[in-house]
Amino acid sequence: MQGLELKASTAAQTEQAVALTEQIKQQQESNRVGAYTACLQFLLSGADRIDLKITQLVVEVETISDLQKKSRKMGFN
């Protein structure tokens, strides 16, 4: 009787070990996805800042160009 109980206990422990191993793998994958998400958010934020700066510079250049054109029309250049 004890032999059967020992076998059953060993089998149960083996199943637990397999389940725990799978759980650890899933947690590692989840952690990896979280890290990639954080990196992507950082890069997207940087791209947004660059886009905003480009837009600001374009507006600035267009404003300067318009002022220069107006100055020429008024005979200041």
Side-chain angles (χ1 to χ4, degrees), residues 16-55:
Q16 286 177 332
V18 169
L20 184 57
T21 300
E22 185 60 31
Q23 185 179 3
I24 290 170
K25 286 179 184 177
Q26 288 176 349
Q27 185 62 49
Q28 288 172 335
E29 286 297 314
S30 176
N31 291 345
R32 196 174 354 263
V33 168
Y36 287 142
T37 300
C39 289
L40 181 59
Q41 283 302 113
F42 175 77
L43 293 172
L44 289 172
S45 294
D48 286 345
R49 283 192 299 274
I50 290 170
D51 281 345
L52 178 60
K53 187 63 178 175
I54 288 170
T55 301

mmCIF file of all heavy atoms in Angstrom, residues 16-55:
data_model
loop_
_atom_site.group_PDB
_atom_site.id
_atom_site.type_symbol
_atom_site.label_atom_id
_atom_site.label_comp_id
_atom_site.label_asym_id
_atom_site.label_seq_id
_atom_site.Cartn_x
_atom_site.Cartn_y
_atom_site.Cartn_z
ATOM 1 N N GLN A 16 3.184 18.794 -10.485
ATOM 2 C CA GLN A 16 3.355 20.133 -9.929
ATOM 3 C C GLN A 16 4.602 20.805 -10.500
ATOM 4 O O GLN A 16 4.589 21.987 -10.816
ATOM 5 C CB GLN A 16 3.450 20.081 -8.401
ATOM 6 C CG GLN A 16 2.131 19.813 -7.718
ATOM 7 C CD GLN A 16 2.292 19.710 -6.206
ATOM 8 O OE1 GLN A 16 3.359 19.337 -5.701
ATOM 9 N NE2 GLN A 16 1.228 20.037 -5.480
ATOM 10 N N ALA A 17 5.665 20.049 -10.617
ATOM 11 C CA ALA A 17 6.909 20.595 -11.156
ATOM 12 C C ALA A 17 6.727 21.027 -12.611
ATOM 13 O O ALA A 17 7.195 22.097 -13.020
ATOM 14 C CB ALA A 17 8.031 19.573 -11.045
ATOM 15 N N VAL A 18 6.018 20.196 -13.387
ATOM 16 C CA VAL A 18 5.752 20.536 -14.788
ATOM 17 C C VAL A 18 4.902 21.800 -14.868
ATOM 18 O O VAL A 18 5.181 22.712 -15.651
ATOM 19 C CB VAL A 18 5.074 19.349 -15.518
ATOM 20 C CG1 VAL A 18 4.549 19.761 -16.878
ATOM 21 C CG2 VAL A 18 6.049 18.186 -15.664
ATOM 22 N N ALA A 19 3.866 21.860 -14.032
ATOM 23 C CA ALA A 19 2.982 23.034 -14.030
ATOM 24 C C ALA A 19 3.747 24.286 -13.607
ATOM 25 O O ALA A 19 3.588 25.361 -14.201
ATOM 26 C CB ALA A 19 1.793 22.800 -13.108
ATOM 27 N N LEU A 20 4.586 24.164 -12.600
ATOM 28 C CA LEU A 20 5.374 25.299 -12.132
ATOM 29 C C LEU A 20 6.364 25.758 -13.199
ATOM 30 O O LEU A 20 6.531 26.960 -13.424
ATOM 31 C CB LEU A 20 6.116 24.934 -10.848
ATOM 32 C CG LEU A 20 6.918 26.049 -10.187
ATOM 33 C CD1 LEU A 20 6.024 27.253 -9.857
ATOM 34 C CD2 LEU A 20 7.610 25.540 -8.929
ATOM 35 N N THR A 21 6.978 24.811 -13.881
ATOM 36 C CA THR A 21 7.906 25.150 -14.965
ATOM 37 C C THR A 21 7.182 25.918 -16.062
ATOM 38 O O THR A 21 7.683 26.930 -16.561
ATOM 39 C CB THR A 21 8.558 23.872 -15.541
ATOM 40 O OG1 THR A 21 9.269 23.202 -14.491
ATOM 41 C CG2 THR A 21 9.500 24.196 -16.667
ATOM 42 N N GLU A 22 5.998 25.482 -16.421
ATOM 43 C CA GLU A 22 5.210 26.177 -17.450
ATOM 44 C C GLU A 22 4.810 27.566 -16.978
ATOM 45 O O GLU A 22 4.859 28.529 -17.733
ATOM 46 C CB GLU A 22 3.963 25.348 -17.804
ATOM 47 C CG GLU A 22 3.161 25.916 -18.936
ATOM 48 C CD GLU A 22 3.922 26.025 -20.242
ATOM 49 O OE1 GLU A 22 4.820 25.204 -20.515
ATOM 50 O OE2 GLU A 22 3.620 26.971 -21.001
ATOM 51 N N GLN A 23 4.438 27.667 -15.712
ATOM 52 C CA GLN A 23 4.056 28.972 -15.154
ATOM 53 C C GLN A 23 5.242 29.931 -15.187
ATOM 54 O O GLN A 23 5.084 31.111 -15.521
ATOM 55 C CB GLN A 23 3.555 28.787 -13.724
ATOM 56 C CG GLN A 23 3.032 30.053 -13.093
ATOM 57 C CD GLN A 23 2.524 29.815 -11.681
ATOM 58 O OE1 GLN A 23 2.602 28.715 -11.144
ATOM 59 N NE2 GLN A 23 2.003 30.864 -11.064
ATOM 60 N N ILE A 24 6.417 29.450 -14.862
ATOM 61 C CA ILE A 24 7.622 30.289 -14.886
ATOM 62 C C ILE A 24 7.917 30.755 -16.309
ATOM 63 O O ILE A 24 8.240 31.925 -16.540
ATOM 64 C CB ILE A 24 8.830 29.532 -14.282
ATOM 65 C CG1 ILE A 24 8.642 29.374 -12.777
ATOM 66 C CG2 ILE A 24 10.135 30.252 -14.584
ATOM 67 C CD1 ILE A 24 9.631 28.437 -12.113
ATOM 68 N N LYS A 25 7.784 29.850 -17.281
ATOM 69 C CA LYS A 25 8.000 30.227 -18.684
ATOM 70 C C LYS A 25 7.020 31.313 -19.106
ATOM 71 O O LYS A 25 7.393 32.282 -19.765
ATOM 72 C CB LYS A 25 7.849 29.011 -19.600
ATOM 73 C CG LYS A 25 9.000 28.040 -19.545
ATOM 74 C CD LYS A 25 8.746 26.861 -20.482
ATOM 75 C CE LYS A 25 9.833 25.819 -20.370
ATOM 76 N NZ LYS A 25 9.560 24.642 -21.209
ATOM 77 N N GLN A 26 5.755 31.158 -18.727
ATOM 78 C CA GLN A 26 4.748 32.155 -19.086
ATOM 79 C C GLN A 26 5.046 33.498 -18.432
ATOM 80 O O GLN A 26 4.891 34.554 -19.049
ATOM 81 C CB GLN A 26 3.356 31.671 -18.687
ATOM 82 C CG GLN A 26 2.840 30.542 -19.558
ATOM 83 C CD GLN A 26 1.502 30.005 -19.080
ATOM 84 O OE1 GLN A 26 1.033 30.336 -17.987
ATOM 85 N NE2 GLN A 26 0.887 29.150 -19.893
ATOM 86 N N GLN A 27 5.508 33.469 -17.183
ATOM 87 C CA GLN A 27 5.845 34.710 -16.482
ATOM 88 C C GLN A 27 7.037 35.388 -17.151
ATOM 89 O O GLN A 27 7.059 36.610 -17.300
ATOM 90 C CB GLN A 27 6.147 34.430 -15.006
ATOM 91 C CG GLN A 27 6.388 35.694 -14.197
ATOM 92 C CD GLN A 27 5.185 36.603 -14.165
ATOM 93 O OE1 GLN A 27 4.082 36.160 -13.890
ATOM 94 N NE2 GLN A 27 5.380 37.882 -14.453
ATOM 95 N N GLN A 28 8.022 34.601 -17.581
ATOM 96 C CA GLN A 28 9.174 35.168 -18.278
ATOM 97 C C GLN A 28 8.750 35.826 -19.593
ATOM 98 O O GLN A 28 9.217 36.911 -19.927
ATOM 99 C CB GLN A 28 10.231 34.088 -18.544
ATOM 100 C CG GLN A 28 10.957 33.641 -17.295
ATOM 101 C CD GLN A 28 11.853 32.436 -17.541
ATOM 102 O OE1 GLN A 28 11.629 31.652 -18.452
ATOM 103 N NE2 GLN A 28 12.869 32.288 -16.705
ATOM 104 N N GLU A 29 7.860 35.177 -20.313
ATOM 105 C CA GLU A 29 7.355 35.750 -21.570
ATOM 106 C C GLU A 29 6.574 37.035 -21.291
ATOM 107 O O GLU A 29 6.710 38.018 -22.014
ATOM 108 C CB GLU A 29 6.464 34.743 -22.310
ATOM 109 C CG GLU A 29 7.234 33.624 -22.970
ATOM 110 C CD GLU A 29 8.187 34.124 -24.052
ATOM 111 O OE1 GLU A 29 7.778 34.958 -24.883
ATOM 112 O OE2 GLU A 29 9.344 33.692 -24.053
ATOM 113 N N SER A 30 5.783 37.020 -20.253
ATOM 114 C CA SER A 30 5.019 38.211 -19.879
ATOM 115 C C SER A 30 5.959 39.359 -19.523
ATOM 116 O O SER A 30 5.742 40.507 -19.923
ATOM 117 C CB SER A 30 4.106 37.889 -18.704
ATOM 118 O OG SER A 30 3.423 39.040 -18.277
ATOM 119 N N ASN A 31 7.008 39.057 -18.783
ATOM 120 C CA ASN A 31 8.001 40.073 -18.418
ATOM 121 C C ASN A 31 8.694 40.628 -19.662
ATOM 122 O O ASN A 31 8.932 41.831 -19.773
ATOM 123 C CB ASN A 31 9.041 39.495 -17.464
ATOM 124 C CG ASN A 31 8.466 39.178 -16.099
ATOM 125 O OD1 ASN A 31 7.376 39.616 -15.748
ATOM 126 N ND2 ASN A 31 9.194 38.393 -15.332
ATOM 127 N N ARG A 32 9.005 39.749 -20.601
ATOM 128 C CA ARG A 32 9.666 40.164 -21.836
ATOM 129 C C ARG A 32 8.748 41.091 -22.653
ATOM 130 O O ARG A 32 9.174 42.122 -23.158
ATOM 131 C CB ARG A 32 10.073 38.931 -22.648
ATOM 132 C CG ARG A 32 11.070 39.210 -23.717
ATOM 133 C CD ARG A 32 11.614 37.967 -24.445
ATOM 134 N NE ARG A 32 11.242 36.661 -23.961
ATOM 135 C CZ ARG A 32 11.990 35.908 -23.138
ATOM 136 N NH1 ARG A 32 13.136 36.354 -22.695
ATOM 137 N NH2 ARG A 32 11.577 34.722 -22.779
ATOM 138 N N VAL A 33 7.469 40.726 -22.739
ATOM 139 C CA VAL A 33 6.506 41.569 -23.466
ATOM 140 C C VAL A 33 6.388 42.930 -22.777
ATOM 141 O O VAL A 33 6.349 43.968 -23.440
ATOM 142 C CB VAL A 33 5.129 40.866 -23.562
ATOM 143 C CG1 VAL A 33 4.057 41.829 -24.029
ATOM 144 C CG2 VAL A 33 5.208 39.667 -24.485
ATOM 145 N N GLY A 34 6.363 42.929 -21.467
ATOM 146 C CA GLY A 34 6.298 44.192 -20.726
ATOM 147 C C GLY A 34 7.510 45.072 -20.997
ATOM 148 O O GLY A 34 7.383 46.283 -21.170
ATOM 149 N N ALA A 35 8.682 44.457 -21.043
ATOM 150 C CA ALA A 35 9.904 45.216 -21.321
ATOM 151 C C ALA A 35 9.881 45.775 -22.745
ATOM 152 O O ALA A 35 10.236 46.939 -22.971
ATOM 153 C CB ALA A 35 11.133 44.329 -21.123
ATOM 154 N N TYR A 36 9.455 44.971 -23.707
ATOM 155 C CA TYR A 36 9.361 45.453 -25.093
ATOM 156 C C TYR A 36 8.341 46.591 -25.202
ATOM 157 O O TYR A 36 8.554 47.558 -25.928
ATOM 158 C CB TYR A 36 8.977 44.327 -26.050
ATOM 159 C CG TYR A 36 10.086 43.333 -26.319
ATOM 160 C CD1 TYR A 36 9.814 41.977 -26.446
ATOM 161 C CD2 TYR A 36 11.397 43.740 -26.453
ATOM 162 C CE1 TYR A 36 10.821 41.059 -26.693
ATOM 163 C CE2 TYR A 36 12.416 42.832 -26.693
ATOM 164 C CZ TYR A 36 12.121 41.491 -26.824
ATOM 165 O OH TYR A 36 13.122 40.599 -27.071
ATOM 166 N N THR A 37 7.253 46.483 -24.469
ATOM 167 C CA THR A 37 6.234 47.529 -24.475
ATOM 168 C C THR A 37 6.801 48.835 -23.935
ATOM 169 O O THR A 37 6.566 49.906 -24.503
ATOM 170 C CB THR A 37 5.011 47.093 -23.645
ATOM 171 O OG1 THR A 37 4.469 45.893 -24.216
ATOM 172 C CG2 THR A 37 3.940 48.165 -23.605
ATOM 173 N N ALA A 38 7.562 48.748 -22.854
ATOM 174 C CA ALA A 38 8.169 49.948 -22.281
ATOM 175 C C ALA A 38 9.151 50.578 -23.269
ATOM 176 O O ALA A 38 9.169 51.808 -23.442
ATOM 177 C CB ALA A 38 8.879 49.608 -20.972
ATOM 178 N N CYS A 39 9.956 49.757 -23.920
ATOM 179 C CA CYS A 39 10.904 50.278 -24.920
ATOM 180 C C CYS A 39 10.166 50.939 -26.070
ATOM 181 O O CYS A 39 10.548 52.027 -26.522
ATOM 182 C CB CYS A 39 11.789 49.153 -25.456
ATOM 183 S SG CYS A 39 13.002 48.542 -24.285
ATOM 184 N N LEU A 40 9.113 50.314 -26.543
ATOM 185 C CA LEU A 40 8.342 50.860 -27.649
ATOM 186 C C LEU A 40 7.706 52.194 -27.261
ATOM 187 O O LEU A 40 7.735 53.154 -28.041
ATOM 188 C CB LEU A 40 7.271 49.862 -28.083
ATOM 189 C CG LEU A 40 6.397 50.274 -29.258
ATOM 190 C CD1 LEU A 40 7.244 50.551 -30.498
ATOM 191 C CD2 LEU A 40 5.374 49.187 -29.563
ATOM 192 N N GLN A 41 7.153 52.272 -26.054
ATOM 193 C CA GLN A 41 6.559 53.534 -25.593
ATOM 194 C C GLN A 41 7.609 54.639 -25.545
ATOM 195 O O GLN A 41 7.333 55.780 -25.928
ATOM 196 C CB GLN A 41 5.929 53.355 -24.211
ATOM 197 C CG GLN A 41 4.607 52.645 -24.235
ATOM 198 C CD GLN A 41 3.582 53.348 -25.087
ATOM 199 O OE1 GLN A 41 3.182 52.834 -26.107
ATOM 200 N NE2 GLN A 41 3.172 54.521 -24.708
ATOM 201 N N PHE A 42 8.794 54.312 -25.079
ATOM 202 C CA PHE A 42 9.882 55.297 -25.016
ATOM 203 C C PHE A 42 10.225 55.790 -26.417
ATOM 204 O O PHE A 42 10.346 56.996 -26.656
ATOM 205 C CB PHE A 42 11.112 54.668 -24.349
ATOM 206 C CG PHE A 42 12.309 55.562 -24.355
ATOM 207 C CD1 PHE A 42 12.413 56.617 -23.457
ATOM 208 C CD2 PHE A 42 13.339 55.358 -25.262
ATOM 209 C CE1 PHE A 42 13.524 57.457 -23.464
ATOM 210 C CE2 PHE A 42 14.450 56.187 -25.274
ATOM 211 C CZ PHE A 42 14.538 57.234 -24.373
ATOM 212 N N LEU A 43 10.353 54.861 -27.357
ATOM 213 C CA LEU A 43 10.693 55.244 -28.727
ATOM 214 C C LEU A 43 9.574 56.056 -29.378
ATOM 215 O O LEU A 43 9.838 57.032 -30.097
ATOM 216 C CB LEU A 43 11.000 53.999 -29.554
ATOM 217 C CG LEU A 43 12.267 53.244 -29.143
ATOM 218 C CD1 LEU A 43 12.354 51.922 -29.898
ATOM 219 C CD2 LEU A 43 13.504 54.079 -29.376
ATOM 220 N N LEU A 44 8.332 55.658 -29.149
ATOM 221 C CA LEU A 44 7.202 56.402 -29.712
ATOM 222 C C LEU A 44 7.133 57.816 -29.134
ATOM 223 O O LEU A 44 6.836 58.776 -29.857
ATOM 224 C CB LEU A 44 5.889 55.660 -29.462
ATOM 225 C CG LEU A 44 5.692 54.383 -30.280
ATOM 226 C CD1 LEU A 44 4.450 53.641 -29.809
ATOM 227 C CD2 LEU A 44 5.608 54.690 -31.760
ATOM 228 N N SER A 45 7.423 57.957 -27.853
ATOM 229 C CA SER A 45 7.441 59.285 -27.240
ATOM 230 C C SER A 45 8.524 60.148 -27.873
ATOM 231 O O SER A 45 8.303 61.325 -28.147
ATOM 232 C CB SER A 45 7.685 59.186 -25.728
ATOM 233 O OG SER A 45 6.613 58.550 -25.092
ATOM 234 N N GLY A 46 9.678 59.552 -28.107
ATOM 235 C CA GLY A 46 10.762 60.280 -28.771
ATOM 236 C C GLY A 46 10.371 60.700 -30.174
ATOM 237 O O GLY A 46 10.642 61.831 -30.601
ATOM 238 N N ALA A 47 9.724 59.817 -30.898
ATOM 239 C CA ALA A 47 9.282 60.141 -32.253
ATOM 240 C C ALA A 47 8.249 61.264 -32.223
ATOM 241 O O ALA A 47 8.283 62.166 -33.072
ATOM 242 C CB ALA A 47 8.706 58.898 -32.930
ATOM 243 N N ASP A 48 7.350 61.239 -31.251
ATOM 244 C CA ASP A 48 6.355 62.307 -31.125
ATOM 245 C C ASP A 48 7.027 63.647 -30.843
ATOM 246 O O ASP A 48 6.638 64.681 -31.409
ATOM 247 C CB ASP A 48 5.355 61.991 -30.015
ATOM 248 C CG ASP A 48 4.366 60.901 -30.399
ATOM 249 O OD1 ASP A 48 4.256 60.592 -31.603
ATOM 250 O OD2 ASP A 48 3.707 60.363 -29.487
ATOM 251 N N ARG A 49 8.036 63.639 -29.973
ATOM 252 C CA ARG A 49 8.752 64.888 -29.673
ATOM 253 C C ARG A 49 9.457 65.412 -30.917
ATOM 254 O O ARG A 49 9.443 66.619 -31.190
ATOM 255 C CB ARG A 49 9.770 64.662 -28.545
ATOM 256 C CG ARG A 49 9.154 64.589 -27.167
ATOM 257 C CD ARG A 49 10.213 64.648 -26.073
ATOM 258 N NE ARG A 49 11.156 63.550 -26.141
ATOM 259 C CZ ARG A 49 10.987 62.353 -25.591
ATOM 260 N NH1 ARG A 49 9.865 62.086 -24.934
ATOM 261 N NH2 ARG A 49 11.908 61.425 -25.680
ATOM 262 N N ILE A 50 10.058 64.514 -31.686
ATOM 263 C CA ILE A 50 10.750 64.926 -32.915
ATOM 264 C C ILE A 50 9.746 65.488 -33.921
ATOM 265 O O ILE A 50 9.999 66.523 -34.554
ATOM 266 C CB ILE A 50 11.543 63.748 -33.510
ATOM 267 C CG1 ILE A 50 12.729 63.425 -32.603
ATOM 268 C CG2 ILE A 50 12.020 64.063 -34.919
ATOM 269 C CD1 ILE A 50 13.438 62.135 -32.953
ATOM 270 N N ASP A 51 8.595 64.832 -34.074
ATOM 271 C CA ASP A 51 7.559 65.328 -34.984
ATOM 272 C C ASP A 51 7.100 66.726 -34.573
ATOM 273 O O ASP A 51 6.928 67.611 -35.425
ATOM 274 C CB ASP A 51 6.350 64.392 -34.997
ATOM 275 C CG ASP A 51 6.564 63.157 -35.852
ATOM 276 O OD1 ASP A 51 7.511 63.146 -36.657
ATOM 277 O OD2 ASP A 51 5.767 62.217 -35.708
ATOM 278 N N LEU A 52 6.898 66.942 -33.285
ATOM 279 C CA LEU A 52 6.471 68.247 -32.795
ATOM 280 C C LEU A 52 7.537 69.299 -33.097
ATOM 281 O O LEU A 52 7.219 70.401 -33.560
ATOM 282 C CB LEU A 52 6.190 68.186 -31.294
ATOM 283 C CG LEU A 52 5.773 69.491 -30.629
ATOM 284 C CD1 LEU A 52 4.485 70.027 -31.255
ATOM 285 C CD2 LEU A 52 5.592 69.286 -29.137
ATOM 286 N N LYS A 53 8.791 68.976 -32.864
ATOM 287 C CA LYS A 53 9.882 69.925 -33.118
ATOM 288 C C LYS A 53 9.964 70.253 -34.607
ATOM 289 O O LYS A 53 10.148 71.419 -34.974
ATOM 290 C CB LYS A 53 11.216 69.332 -32.621
ATOM 291 C CG LYS A 53 12.355 70.296 -32.695
ATOM 292 C CD LYS A 53 12.113 71.491 -31.790
ATOM 293 C CE LYS A 53 13.279 72.447 -31.809
ATOM 294 N NZ LYS A 53 13.024 73.650 -31.041
ATOM 295 N N ILE A 54 9.820 69.258 -35.459
ATOM 296 C CA ILE A 54 9.846 69.489 -36.908
ATOM 297 C C ILE A 54 8.705 70.427 -37.294
ATOM 298 O O ILE A 54 8.902 71.382 -38.060
ATOM 299 C CB ILE A 54 9.765 68.160 -37.680
ATOM 300 C CG1 ILE A 54 11.077 67.400 -37.537
ATOM 301 C CG2 ILE A 54 9.452 68.407 -39.155
ATOM 302 C CD1 ILE A 54 11.027 65.981 -38.056
ATOM 303 N N THR A 55 7.524 70.185 -36.769
ATOM 304 C CA THR A 55 6.374 71.042 -37.069
ATOM 305 C C THR A 55 6.640 72.477 -36.619
ATOM 306 O O THR A 55 6.365 73.431 -37.355
ATOM 307 C CB THR A 55 5.105 70.495 -36.388
ATOM 308 O OG1 THR A 55 4.866 69.169 -36.858
ATOM 309 C CG2 THR A 55 3.901 71.358 -36.675
#
